Each structure stands twice: as structure tokens, then as C-alpha cells.
Amino acid sequence: MKERIKQILSRQPGDEVISVEGWVRTKRDSKNVCFLEINDGSTVKGLQAVVDKASFGNENLLGEVTTGAAVRCTGRLVASQGQAQSVELALETLEIVGTCPSDYPLQKKRHTIEFLREIAYLRPRTNLIGAVMRVRSTLAYAIHTFFQERGFVYVNTPLITTSDCEGAGETFQVTTLDLANVPVGKDGVDYSKDFFGKKASLTVSGQLEGESYALALKDIYTFGPTFRAENSNTTRHLAEFWMVEPEMAFCDIELDEEVAESFLKYIFRYVLDKCPEEMAFFDSFVLKGNIDTLRHVIDTPFARMTYTDAIKELEKVNDQFDFPVHWGSDIQTEHEKYLTEVVCKRPVIVTDYPKEIKAFYMKMNEDGRTVRGMDVLVPRLGEIIGGSEREADYDRLLGRIVELGLNPDDYRWYLETRRFGSVPHAGFGLGFERAVQYVTGVANIRDVIPFPRYVKSADF
Ligand code: ATP
Ligand code: MN
């Protein structure tokens, strides 16, 4: 493996000739010397290469080196005269691997994040998106490490499903039917002619399939793409996002909450430890105080609050909200933020929601009105995790399905898992991009995934 700039920057000056490959971020020319900042995507800070024009000689070649060009150079590491870095490359040879013309969009150092979104195929070449994507990668690794260290089995649930069980969101349909010539039967579209012989869609959650694996392997997690036809233009919803869904057998809601809390703390700490340079960069240029906030989250026990108590708190200040609440209403972003930022001043786990506003599979409490669901709310973002203890009793689960007017035939396989050695089990879903948003401080979810998909946007 070739050495990356990140490793080179941690070296001491030396006499050995080293080779560096990367892209020119900036070029500063003066009479006798030329400074090239070379970045290979391994760090926020690039390596400064210094060309002594007199000894280098080849003015023409140097003239062709422009911002964005790919270069390979050799030289010796010397102590830097400048303040910004400890070592720099005293350049000896230079090769242009790929030239870059002057219409390269990333000429200046700072661009608006909205502009960068329009050139999503080039934006990883910026400091910001480069750092976000390195942190995203590290966070994914932290998630796998957390679960693997605890013996959870990584399960890949299907992306195409014919049981849109959850009602978790609007689905995208998957079909090979000719949309200009749809086969019609007496009840509308004749899906028996479609690829799967019935109506199919992209998954909105791997939970139901995950449950059947937890009921065999005990502790499992999924980590994969999820699709919701969210027709809303918010800063925290995508049409295609990645979700992490652990599911644990012989587990109740209290243990589920504990796992969710220690999981978030673990992955936040992991990134603070492994990506100090990126985290310092976000703290300076994206969100001041972000590191302190994360440390506070890691060090403080999360608050716990029932939905009923949460509503009492919210009702006191109902005049502040666009959507005033009462017992039974959905808790929306503005309410989530108030609860975690103002009432609790730390992350809070809200539990025991009215059954009417939660999914059919959540286990009912004794009161017959509320279910064992829990949402983890964090300051600035609101909901980051949603989870529950699942209804493990066959008759009660069937009862809920019928009560909600769903067709039991669609849930046959899921119901069957409650007949054969059913046990209490629970799990949750973490939106991976929301986690990346939270650790980086980036305001819009569209900037923490390489190629965001949202309403009217899937161009590249
Ligand atoms: P919200 O109320 O924020 O729309 P939800 O209650 O619909 O979320 P769940 O079904 O509980 O979401 O999904 C579990 C987690 O997946 C959420 O806590 C969130 O972190 C994430 N998530 C849900 N929808 C999206 C989306 N459209 N884009 C990105 N992440 C999402
Ligand atoms: Mn939720």
C-alpha cells in the first residue's frame, strides 16, 4: 500500500525521498518559489509541496499544474518554515497525472453547501464533505464494532418486500409492468402478471424480518438501505437512507432503552477518539461547541419521561408551538426539541405512547391505552432512534392487526413466529444519516450521504 498524506504528515523530516499522489487544492506562486497544497482525501489538511523554481527549472510543467490537477511528486520531507504545518515536501520531481482546466467548479476554497449539493459528484473533493464522509465511514465501523463485540449477528434483510407491514412511511413500488399498458383485472391492476406475482415495494424497515432472525439467533442487527417516499422537504428526511436495526430476544423495553443509550454513547465516543482532526474542523467551521455537546451527551445519563408526562410539559407552553398538543397527538419536531433542549437539557427517552399513534406490533401496556414504544430525542435534531418491545403474544398481535383494519393474511408469516417458541423481544432503529448529522453538526441530512435522494432529486 502506498503511504497516504495523513501518515506522511505525522512523520519527522528525513533524507529519504518519498512519493506523494493527490490533487492540487491550491497553488501560490511567487518569484522564486511555488507552493502547492496537495490533498489525497485522507486529511483535512493537505501536504504543502514547495518548489524551488531555480533548481526545478521546468517552468512550463509548473505552469500546467492548476487547481484540481492530479499529480505525483517526489521529494524530501523538511521542517516547514510556515506556521500551519510542521513538515512540508521539498519537491524534486513532478508528474501531472491528470490535468484540470479552468472551468473546474472548485476554484476557490469556500463554497456554499447548496452549491456543493449541485455538484455532488465533485463535492467529496472539498474539506467539508471529505471530512463528513470519513466520519461517516468511521461511524459505520463503530456501529459494527459495538454489536460484534457483544455477539450480535449481522443480518441482511431484503430490500424488496411484498408485506408493507409497518406503515412506517410511504413506499416506492417495485414493478416490471409496462406502466403505459397496465394489465387490469376486475379489482384494478392485475398484479399476478407482475414480476413477483403480487404488489411489491422497497422496504421501509427491516424490522419484521429482523425479528424472525432474533427469534433464532437471539441478538441480531441489520444495517442497510431503507426507502421512504417522504414527500416532505425537511432537513432530516431522505427518500433513501441507511438504518441500523438491532433486535434482541429475551429482552424487554427497559433493556432496549439501556442498549440504545449505551450504543449512542459508544459510537459518539468512538468518533471523537478516532477522528480528532475532522471533529476539530466541524467544531470550527460547522457548529461551534459541537465537541463539548457530544462530550456532555456521552457523560450524562439520558433522561426518561413517559409520553403522558411529556404532554403535560408541552401543554404548559402550547402557545409557543405551531401545532399545540393534547394527550393523543403526535409529538413533532418542535415538541421533540423543546423536550430535549428546554425541559431535560440532555437526550431524553420518551416512552409509553398512545397505541393510536404507534405501529401495530408494539406491545400493549396493562392500561390498554399505551404501548411500550420509546423514542430517543437529542438536542438540535429531535428523534434519532425509535424502538419498542414487540407484541409477542399471538392472539393480542392478531387482535391489533384486525383492530387496525389490516389484512391478517398479509402478516401470516409474521404471526407464525408468535406460535413457535415466542419470547419477549425488543429492538430499535437508528437512522444512520441522523447519527452522522449529529456527530458532525451538519444541519442538512442531504449533506451527510454521498448522493442524496429526495423529492425531485436523483440526478447523480
Ligand atoms: P420521523 O418521525 O423523524 O419521521 P419515524 O418515526 O418515521 O421518524 P421510524 O419509523 O421510527 O421513523 O424509523 C427509525 C429511525 O429512522 C428514526 O428514528 C430516524 O432516525 C430514521 N428515519 C426515519 N425516517 C427517515 C428518513 N426519511 N430519512 C432519514 N432517516 C429517517
Ligand atoms: Mn419513530
Side-chain angles (χ1 to χ4, degrees):
M1 286 273 283
K2 293 179 181 174
E3 206 176 19
R4 302 285 304 266
I5 287 176
K6 185 181 173 117
Q7 281 126 27
I8 294 175
L9 285 172
S10 65
R11 281 177 163 227
Q12 298 298 317
D15 273 339
E16 181 196 348
V17 174
I18 61 166
S19 165
V20 180
E21 293 165 338
W23 293 267
V24 175
R25 279 285 173 83
T26 56
K27 178 183 181 185
R28 279 188 297 127
D29 236 337
S30 68
K31 193 152 162 282
N32 301 320
V33 282
C34 173
F35 297 98
L36 302 175
E37 193 197 326
I38 301 170
N39 194 298
D40 69 351
S42 61
T43 53
V44 174
K45 271 214 66 52
L47 177 67
Q48 172 158 284
V50 187
V51 189
D52 178 74
K53 287 186 174 174
S55 62
F56 185 71
N58 196 338
E59 285 269 348
N60 284 347
L61 180 63
L62 208 50
E64 282 174 42
V65 177
T66 54
T67 301
V71 295
R72 184 178 291 132
C73 29
T74 67
R76 290 180 169 83
L77 270 192
V78 298
S80 176
Q81 316 268 294
Q83 299 282 307
Q85 60 275 317
S86 65
V87 288
E88 61 192 24
L89 188 76
L91 186 137
E92 290 168 24
T93 68
L94 173 67
E95 182 191 338
I96 300 179
V97 181
T99 56
C100 188
S102 60
D103 61 345
Y104 178 56
L106 299 172
Q107 294 292 344
K108 38 180 191 91
K109 268 225 144 158
R110 291 289 201 108
H111 300 270
T112 67
I113 202 144
E114 291 79 15
F115 170 72
L116 294 179
R117 222 174 277 148
E118 289 166 21
I119 48 163
Y121 52 97
L122 289 176
R123 67 178 183 168
R125 299 186 189 196
T126 61
N127 274 342
L128 174 64
I129 302 298
V132 168
M133 294 307 155
R134 285 191 297 275
V135 163
R136 183 182 164 107
S137 166
T138 301
L139 199 63
Y141 197 72
I143 288 166
H144 282 294
T145 307
F146 177 87
F147 289 121
Q148 296 283 334
E149 279 176 350
R150 286 158 185 76
F152 283 62
V153 178
Y154 176 36
V155 173
N156 302 121
T157 48
L159 301 190
I160 298 176
T161 168
T162 56
S163 49
D164 161 34
C165 288
E166 257 230 276
E170 290 301 308
T171 57
F172 289 101
Q173 200 174 330
V174 176
T175 181
T176 51
L177 293 177
D178 177 0
L179 294 185
N181 187 16
V182 176
V184 181
K186 55 180 183 332
D187 308 318
V189 178
D190 181 6
Y191 284 108
S192 70
K193 303 246 163 45
D194 204 349
F195 191 91
F196 297 104
K198 50 169 87 163
K199 193 173 174 182
S201 56
L202 293 176
T203 185
V204 292
S205 159
Q207 180 202 317
L208 302 193
E209 293 89 350
E211 281 184 51
S212 78
Y213 267 69
L215 293 172
L217 304 173
K218 198 152 182 263
D219 296 328
I220 65 102
Y221 69 107
T222 72
F223 187 172
T226 308
F227 308 87
R228 295 186 186 180
E230 305 273 5
N231 205 352
S232 52
N233 259 308
T234 79
T235 55
R236 47 173 227 172
H237 289 96
L238 289 165
E240 177 182 296
F241 63 101
W242 288 63
M243 185 134 75
V244 181
E245 295 182 279
E247 189 71 34
M248 298 161 284
F250 300 94
C251 176
D252 61 12
I253 188 71
E254 280 86 19
L255 183 56
D256 196 33
E257 290 165 27
E258 277 171 41
V259 174
E261 178 171 349
S262 45
F263 169 60
L264 284 180
K265 290 177 172 176
Y266 179 97
I267 62 175
F268 294 166
R269 190 182 299 120
Y270 195 98
V271 172
L272 281 174
D273 285 351
K274 305 282 182 195
C275 304
E277 193 202 14
E278 284 77 11
M279 294 307 292
F281 174 82
F282 300 135
D283 206 279
S284 311
F285 298 107
V286 177
L287 187 69
K288 294 243 173 339
N290 187 39
I291 293 179
D292 283 343
T293 309
L294 282 175
R295 285 201 202 292
H296 174 70
V297 166
I298 292 167
D299 293 337
T300 331
F302 291 6
R304 302 280 197 282
M305 187 181 257
T306 64
Y307 168 90
T308 302
D309 287 341
I311 291 294
K312 280 182 194 148
E313 288 294 337
L314 295 169
E315 277 177 327
K316 290 182 197 162
V317 290
N318 249 340
D319 53 337
Q320 289 186 20
F321 299 129
D322 294 337
F323 299 93
V325 296
H326 54 87
W327 200 95
S329 23
D330 248 328
I331 296 187
Q332 309 198 25
T333 312
E334 56 174 340
H335 314 122
E336 292 173 354
K337 286 185 161 191
Y338 181 82
L339 290 171
T340 169
E341 289 168 7
V342 183
V343 180
C344 299
K345 300 186 178 62
R346 54 187 162 140
V348 55
I349 306 182
V350 179
T351 60
D352 304 292
Y353 288 81
K355 65 177 183 189
E356 287 78 13
I357 60 171
K358 288 290 181 188
F360 73 93
Y361 52 70
M362 293 192 186
K363 186 177 168 64
M364 187 85 72
N365 279 316
E366 306 290 298
D367 63 11
R369 300 172 73 207
T370 61
V371 290
R372 293 193 190 164
M374 61 105 174
D375 280 359
V376 182
L377 315 180
V378 290
R380 207 182 77 241
L381 201 63
E383 178 179 339
I384 192 166
I385 279 180
S388 66
E389 183 172 337
R390 323 302 188 189
E391 185 54 77
D393 179 83
Y394 183 93
D395 292 321
R396 291 209 206 179
L397 184 59
L398 179 60
R400 281 296 284 152
I401 289 172
V402 171
E403 191 180 355
L404 289 168
L406 303 168
N407 180 358
D409 278 342
D410 291 344
Y411 303 92
R412 196 52 63 197
W413 69 268
Y414 184 66
L415 280 160
E416 290 288 274
T417 61
R418 272 52 175 181
R419 288 181 55 225
F420 310 127
S422 186
V423 292
H425 60 288
F428 60 82
L430 167 76
F432 182 50
E433 284 74 21
R434 294 218 184 147
V436 182
Q437 258 188 296
Y438 199 64
V439 295
T440 58
V442 167
N444 196 316
I445 197 166
R446 297 170 186 179
D447 304 316
V448 299
I449 188 166
F451 294 95
R453 266 80 184 98
Y454 49 95
V455 194
K456 300 277 183 291
S457 183
D459 290 342
F460 29 65

